[in-house]
Amino acid sequence: MPASKQFAAVTGAGSGIGRSAALALANAGFAVALIGRRAEPLLETKEAIGLAGGEAHVFQANVADAASVEHAFSQIAEAFGRLDVLFNNAGRNAGAVPLEVYEVDFWNDVVATNLTGVFLCARAAYRLMKAQSPQGGRIINNGSISAHSPRPHTIAYTATKHAVTGITKSIALDGRAFNIACSQIDIGNAATSLTERMNRGVLQADGSMAPEARMDVTHVANAVVHMASLPLEANVLNMTIMATTMPFVGRG
């Protein structure tokens, strides 16, 4: 491979935002490591990248499991030799559940994927980026507009996304000495299977049900590529990309 080749890893690469971002990164010239729990959708993403002339490799892993994450990233290091970008994207939705009936097991499941999983993948990527030569790289965490403002009855999801902001800022600070930049992209209503319900109507802050605008997920993917392609002397610490007319800015 040419010396200028860059290498990116995308978690949750089997569908939605992860698949779209992996395709866009490959189209931008990155060799992409596709990480996720299920092999079949990852292989579908790999096939789509290959048909477009890009390079991708599948690394099956459960982001909430420390040993699984470490194994995947050791395989990535062996296959690529280095890692320039991690799009720390994997997460789960949690639906609307009133606090008084919230189950501890449900809370723990959301935290395991949306918070512990982000930490585990960031830690693994950070270790690679610190040890490699030339040193450095970029970690892009998928936050959410829920990192800033909650939807009704979403305490676990909202808490984990607020916590991702803390992870991002901590890595951005700690990574300075090793040329590791860290960013966060906060996404509002990208058109994926997870947001199809918004066409029918979702719970609003005033208790009403209303449909919400969505945007093409390609816009998110292009934003990730922009963040990933910056030289390490520059960093988009936080970006919010959202459907323009969704009811995020304003009072409920």
Side-chain angles (χ1 to χ4, degrees):
M1 293 181 183
S4 60
K5 187 77 173 181
Q6 286 200 299
F7 304 92
V10 178
T11 65
S15 63
I17 290 168
R19 175 175 288 179
S20 185
L23 283 160
L25 286 164
N27 287 339
F30 287 85
V32 185
L34 309 173
I35 302 171
R37 285 185 304 160
R38 297 185 297 125
E40 185 176 352
L42 295 176
L43 290 169
E44 290 172 359
T45 303
K46 178 182 178 179
E47 182 180 10
I49 289 172
L51 289 172
E55 179 185 352
H57 304 262
V58 169
F59 301 91
Q60 197 170 353
N62 176 3
V63 299
D65 180 83
S68 182
V69 169
E70 289 302 312
H71 178 67
F73 277 83
S74 67
Q75 288 183 309
I76 290 168
E78 185 176 340
F80 287 169
R82 65 178 291 109
L83 183 65
D84 298 290
V85 174
L86 166 66
F87 181 34
N88 210 356
N89 164 72
R92 58 158 293 176
N93 212 339
V97 181
L99 176 58
E100 67 271 20
V101 296
Y102 226 93
E103 297 286 346
V104 172
D105 287 346
F106 185 60
W107 167 275
N108 287 337
D109 285 346
V110 176
V111 170
T113 300
N114 288 4
L115 183 56
T116 303
V118 171
F119 157 71
L120 290 172
C121 293
R123 183 181 68 170
Y126 191 95
R127 286 170 171 169
L128 288 181
M129 292 170 180
K130 182 179 176 181
Q132 65 197 13
S133 181
Q135 191 178 61
R138 187 181 306 276
I139 297 168
I140 303 170
N141 294 322
N142 185 348
S144 168
I145 59 172
S146 289
H148 306 279
S149 183
R151 290 184 178 276
H153 306 315
T154 59
I155 190 168
Y157 187 84
T158 301
T160 58
K161 293 304 184 179
H162 275 65
V164 168
T165 301
I167 289 176
T168 299
K169 290 180 178 179
S170 290
I171 296 172
L173 175 60
D174 297 341
R176 290 176 182 173
F178 311 110
N179 207 26
I180 298 171
C182 191
S183 311
Q184 181 168 319
I185 184 166
D186 295 320
I187 302 160
N189 290 11
T192 69
S193 60
L194 290 178
T195 61
E196 285 179 358
R197 71 190 190 284
M198 293 177 180
N199 291 325
R200 302 186 296 273
V202 290
L203 184 62
Q204 302 297 309
D206 63 0
S208 66
M209 297 290 290
E212 294 188 10
R214 300 191 301 162
M215 62 177 172
D216 193 310
V217 70
T218 303
H219 302 311
V220 177
N222 290 340
V224 171
V225 171
H226 169 68
M227 297 166 82
S229 300
L230 287 171
L232 289 175
E233 67 183 87
N235 186 36
V236 177
L237 179 63
N238 186 271
M239 176 190 287
T240 299
I241 182 166
M242 54 180 275
T244 303
T245 61
M246 67 176 294
F248 171 58
V249 179
R251 293 179 181 266

